[in-house]
Amino acid sequence: MIKTISSIQLKKGMYIHELDCSWMKHPFARNQFKITQQSDIRKIQSAGIKSLKINTDKGIGIEQHTSNLSSAKEPLNEQSKDKIPNDSSTNNSDKKNLKKTRKDAKQIKNHAEQAISNIMADVKLGQQVEMEQVTPVVDKMTESVLNNHNALLGLSRIRNMDTYTFEHSVNIAVLMMSFTKSRGMSPEIIHEVGTGGFLHDIGKALTPTEILNKPGKLTDAEFVIMRHHVVDSHTILLNTPGISQNALDVAALHHEKYDGSGYPDGKKGDEISLIGQMSAIVDVYDALTADRCYHKGQDPSVVLKRMLSWTGSHFNPQLMQEFIQCVGIYPPATLVMLSNHYLAVVIENNSNLLLPRVIAILNSKTNETIEPKIVDLSQQDKVKVISSESDQKWNLDPQKYLDMI
Ligand SMILES: [Fe+2]
């Protein structure tokens, strides 16, 4: 019998009759096949396939699997020890809100990347930045960040190497807005630093493309040209009517370092404004977590550890601590291992950074995927996050699971 099921109900032993997407879009050589390993299930779920048809004459059905489970050999006490805690804090309307917030954030991010791409193309042709093009985009981002900054933050890990500069610009805006929000600064300042982040690398419109996109180390001479983008960004924005001092500071100071070893002016300590010091932190954080044509981005928790070791030299130590409180040790969309051996994806952080709200997705002991389950770890006292995990190692795309909520 042919049955339609959700991809989260897939189990080993089921026979795929039809995946609900075109052959071009799924990662398998055939359309019909038997699921023989857990990694097949993960591939299907990671491809974003939400429903599919199974043939229960050629493989097991849902009921058969349930009865197999009840006769599983694993001792009962082992099963209960590794149970996912029940989450009473997430009801259906919360889930609907999460889904809508995430969908809106995706649209805002895409629109913002398109806008900065157009603005940079105009600057390349010698035109001025028009605030009429910038303000509506930053308005939308501010609204989203004030509502729930985790939605846009969670999207900052989606990387496309060809559009690095545009994504980086939007990410710096989102990170600066989230950072100022978490420090309790006013909506006006949040908007201003959003504008500054959005336009902070506008000077790169004037950097020769072969240097900007060079796949490898820059020569000393090329580095001098590359570094000049800061001066260009500042000059372009000084000539932009309606720009605020805070926005100018993000553009002018994001490569200065706390110990004076940065550029272009080698300013140090309090010679760099508060907004400038904050922008130096978010710029390095985003650059190191990004995939570039010459290196793979590092996991956010690894980057934060490295950056902590540089505080006092590169960054203001107090601000660095506050930045970690803002993005979390395990920022949204990070794959994490829980103390009960389940793998989960972080949705958003709570004040205790080891107890974020997550979606549990896989039992790492049995390597079996489970029906994704939202759990607010701060609402229970048994399970916590113990480490971050590599997406590549597990062949899992956290974004797909966030989309499944
Ligand atoms: Fe820059």
Side-chain angles (χ1 to χ4, degrees):
M1 192 192 293
I2 307 299
K3 276 192 166 180
T4 301
I5 64 164
S6 154
S7 63
I8 54 181
Q9 294 176 297
L10 265 176
K11 302 289 173 197
K12 261 199 286 190
M14 287 180 171
Y15 189 90
I16 304 291
H17 178 73
E18 190 183 329
L19 294 166
D20 191 11
C21 73
S22 80
W23 175 78
M24 295 290 285
K25 285 187 179 163
H26 69 67
F28 300 96
R30 289 165 298 140
N31 277 324
Q32 298 190 342
F33 57 94
K34 194 168 192 170
I35 298 281
T36 55
Q37 45 198 0
Q38 282 298 322
S39 59
D40 289 341
I41 297 175
R42 287 209 293 276
K43 269 188 207 163
I44 290 171
Q45 291 170 343
S46 294
I49 296 166
K50 291 188 177 162
S51 67
L52 50 104
K53 292 188 176 72
I54 56 168
N55 186 337
T56 55
D57 296 329
K58 295 184 175 180
I60 63 164
I62 301 169
E63 304 78 13
Q64 273 169 280
H65 186 79
T66 309
S67 60
N68 285 348
L69 260 189
S70 60
S71 63
K73 290 196 177 74
E74 196 175 8
L76 267 179
N77 57 353
E78 270 296 301
Q79 286 180 4
S80 56
K81 195 172 78 185
D82 290 348
K83 252 175 38 183
I84 304 265
N86 277 324
D87 183 21
S88 54
S89 61
T90 308
N91 57 31
N92 278 343
S93 98
D94 277 346
K95 279 189 190 170
K96 257 191 193 164
N97 282 342
L98 275 174
K99 206 175 185 105
K100 178 162 177 5
T101 309
R102 189 168 157 77
K103 193 176 160 206
D104 291 349
K106 269 188 183 172
Q107 273 178 359
I108 291 167
K109 180 179 186 270
N110 290 342
H111 183 215
E113 282 173 15
Q114 189 55 55
I116 189 66
S117 153
N118 295 341
I119 292 166
M120 287 183 95
D122 288 349
V123 169
K124 213 172 224 168
L125 295 172
Q127 292 176 21
Q128 250 192 348
V129 176
E130 304 284 351
M131 286 306 280
E132 291 75 27
Q133 280 181 280
V134 176
T135 305
V137 178
V138 181
D139 285 349
K140 287 273 178 202
M141 284 197 279
T142 308
E143 202 182 308
S144 175
V145 166
L146 287 176
N147 174 32
N148 178 355
H149 66 277
N150 291 287
L152 273 173
L153 267 187
L155 294 174
S156 68
R157 295 200 60 211
I158 302 174
R159 303 295 188 167
N160 182 332
M161 286 173 248
D162 301 331
T163 51
Y164 172 78
T165 306
F166 313 133
E167 283 176 350
H168 177 64
S169 302
V170 175
N171 287 349
I172 297 306
V174 171
L175 286 164
M176 281 303 289
M177 289 192 287
S178 304
F179 198 1
T180 41
K181 179 192 169 193
S182 79
R183 298 191 83 243
M185 295 165 105
S186 71
E188 195 186 352
I189 295 179
I190 294 173
H191 194 283
E192 288 172 358
V193 298
T195 303
F198 187 61
L199 297 171
H200 80 291
D201 268 349
I202 192 77
K204 284 186 178 170
L206 307 181
T207 309
T209 319
E210 61 276 16
I211 294 179
L212 197 60
N213 298 329
K214 185 177 172 182
K217 257 194 153 192
L218 299 179
T219 64
D220 288 349
E222 288 167 338
F223 224 161
V224 171
I225 297 171
M226 185 66 165
R227 287 176 165 195
H228 203 264
H229 80 271
V230 185
V231 177
D232 289 333
S233 290
H234 194 204
T235 310
I236 291 166
L237 295 189
L238 278 173
N239 290 314
T240 303
I243 201 86
S244 66
Q245 185 58 48
N246 281 330
L248 279 170
D249 277 3
V250 179
L253 301 169
H254 69 276
H255 286 295
E256 297 290 0
K257 287 184 184 145
Y258 202 57
D259 62 0
S261 64
Y263 62 90
D265 296 324
K267 290 184 176 179
K268 65 173 166 184
D270 290 343
E271 290 168 13
I272 311 164
S273 70
L274 171 69
I275 296 298
Q277 291 179 26
M278 291 166 72
S279 67
I281 292 174
V282 304
D283 192 67
V284 170
Y285 172 77
D286 189 66
L288 293 182
T289 50
D291 292 340
R292 302 300 304 273
C293 41
Y294 46 87
H295 72 76
K296 184 98 195 85
Q298 298 166 50
D299 286 339
S301 56
V302 175
V303 168
L304 290 172
K305 254 185 221 152
R306 286 185 68 194
M307 289 177 71
L308 260 181
S309 72
W310 301 331
T311 54
S313 54
H314 291 195
F315 313 116
N316 176 326
Q318 172 66 28
L319 283 178
M320 189 62 222
Q321 291 291 347
E322 290 181 25
F323 181 65
I324 292 173
Q325 281 295 326
C326 166
V327 291
I329 307 168
Y330 307 110
T334 303
L335 190 65
V336 290
M337 183 65 74
L338 305 182
S339 52
N340 63 355
H341 313 293
Y342 278 82
L343 269 183
V345 176
V346 175
I347 304 172
E348 60 192 5
N349 272 288
N350 289 307
S351 55
N352 182 333
L353 299 178
L354 297 179
L355 300 175
R357 195 182 201 193
V358 300
I359 315 171
I361 56 174
L362 182 139
N363 182 335
S364 71
K365 267 189 169 176
T366 61
N367 211 21
E368 284 195 19
T369 46
I370 57 165
E371 183 165 347
K373 184 173 178 184
I374 298 177
V375 187
D376 190 341
L377 298 179
S378 69
Q379 300 297 311
Q380 48 80 58
D381 55 3
K382 293 190 182 76
V383 184
K384 63 176 184 172
V385 173
I386 52 170
S387 65
S388 70
E389 292 288 317
S390 151
D391 309 356
Q392 282 89 39
K393 179 185 145 196
W394 289 96
N395 192 23
L396 289 167
D397 178 359
Q399 297 290 340
K400 303 282 182 197
Y401 289 95
L402 290 173
D403 286 343
M404 275 183 184
I405 300 174

